[in-house]
Amino acid sequence: MTGILWNFASFIIALGILVAVHEFGHFWVARRCGVRVEKFSIGFGKSIWSKVGKDGTEYSISVIPLGGYVKMLDGRVDDVSEADQEFAFDKKPLWKRSAIVAAGPVFNFLFAIVAYWLVFMIGVPAVKPVVGQVTPYSIAAEAGLESGMELKSVSGVKTADWESVNMGLISHIGDERLTMTVAPADGVGIEQTITFDLTKWNFDPEQQSAMSALGFVPFTPEISTTLINITEGSAGERAGLKEGDTLVTIDNKPIEVWQQVVDAIQKHPNAPLALEVLRDGEKITLTIVPDSREMKGKGEVGFAGIAPEVAEWPQSYRFDLQFGVIDSVGKAVEKTGQVIDLTISMLKKLIVGDVGLNNLSGPISIAKGAGTTADYGLVYFLGFLALISVNLGIINLVPLPMLDGGHLLFFAIEAVIRRPVPEKIQEMGYRVGGAIIFSLMAVAIFNDFARL
């Protein structure tokens, strides 16, 4: 219950910040263009707080925190006196109206740059993208990827850490191939470029990572079979396991790697398993009955609430992704550009069917992401805000009526035909656009519940 409340609170904070940024873009440019702004609201519905500023604008926080709006004086919806005509939105030149509408998404992109600038200045711990195991006969193996290689770039985009690698791979969903620049495993020799054949790449984001679907996993330090943590009230504690125990056998089979323990426990929910452990130099026989949990795609699996000791990362693999005040600006612009490219690419693939609608995420998934990143710390939360801000900006530029992009589309038509698009056509467009948007929202929310 506490986790749900934390996710909800983080979601409200994140959404409030991003909506405020977006609407402030409209507000700020409208004021600079001489348009009277009557109300600036974060949220919809009944106001829970409002105040009229010295500028005559009512600033409000409303009860439904799923968006916001800026209400401007507009002769199409208000009775505007002759004296106030010059302050009405609809009386402004086309370029000013376009600037006001485009300002919301532009401010979202600018916010992402600022957020990433702070991330790069604060710094975030990272590890070099060194390949761990490569599955034989997989797409990665056939491309020539080997354990120990360091991934330098994906299709020409540099990959300093695993996040960059993951973004690069995801951007190729639906493509036929991708290229990857790699450094040799022993560090001796020149970098080489290898090509991945993606025609047989079956990638389901809900079931696996892009890397594992290609047939490789990141390098991780050695995991021992000595326990370092036992969750209170877990199956492990009930079985009598203690911190410092070394697991020797499970289900009467010798344990060589920790993955054997994971596999055995997951395959035996609510079923007894024989354990032999080494404790203070003596072997002890115990019986563990793993608890059960439903996992999407796997059905009922067992879990025991035990964690092993993990070796430290090699010092040569670890680094802080951190830059100076000036260098961080360039890195922030570059990162924002990469996220914009990825978002547009995925949107195109969603439209043509290369990416299924089951990949859409709604407010529940966003809330989980907000809560998780807030748990990790400020720098991760800022990165999350930047990512969602870019997505919000791109989505608002989609040329669908009801969105900023729809208004810009009508303005573009107006620029060509030299007169405003007839209101009846605009109204019809808003209805069609609204139906599409609400249908997509319904699919996204359905996907959210399906992932619970």
Side-chain angles (χ1 to χ4, degrees), residues 336-348:
T336 302
Q338 290 175 358
V339 176
I340 289 174
D341 287 344
L342 174 61
T343 305
I344 293 175
S345 173
M346 296 302 291
L347 192 58
K348 288 179 181 176

Side-chain angles (χ1 to χ4, degrees), residues 111-124:
F111 174 82
I113 292 173
V114 172
Y116 280 130
W117 175 67
L118 290 171
V119 167
F120 287 125
M121 277 207 307
I122 296 170
V124 57

Side-chain angles (χ1 to χ4, degrees), residues 291-325:
D291 296 318
S292 65
R293 175 184 294 168
E294 281 290 328
M295 285 187 67
K296 190 173 180 63
K298 292 186 177 181
E300 190 178 27
V301 299
F303 70 100
I306 57 178
E309 186 177 350
V310 181
E312 290 189 5
W313 282 89
Q315 195 62 37
S316 60
Y317 286 22
R318 299 166 59 183
F319 68 100
D320 286 328
L321 200 60
Q322 186 176 27
F323 303 91
V325 176

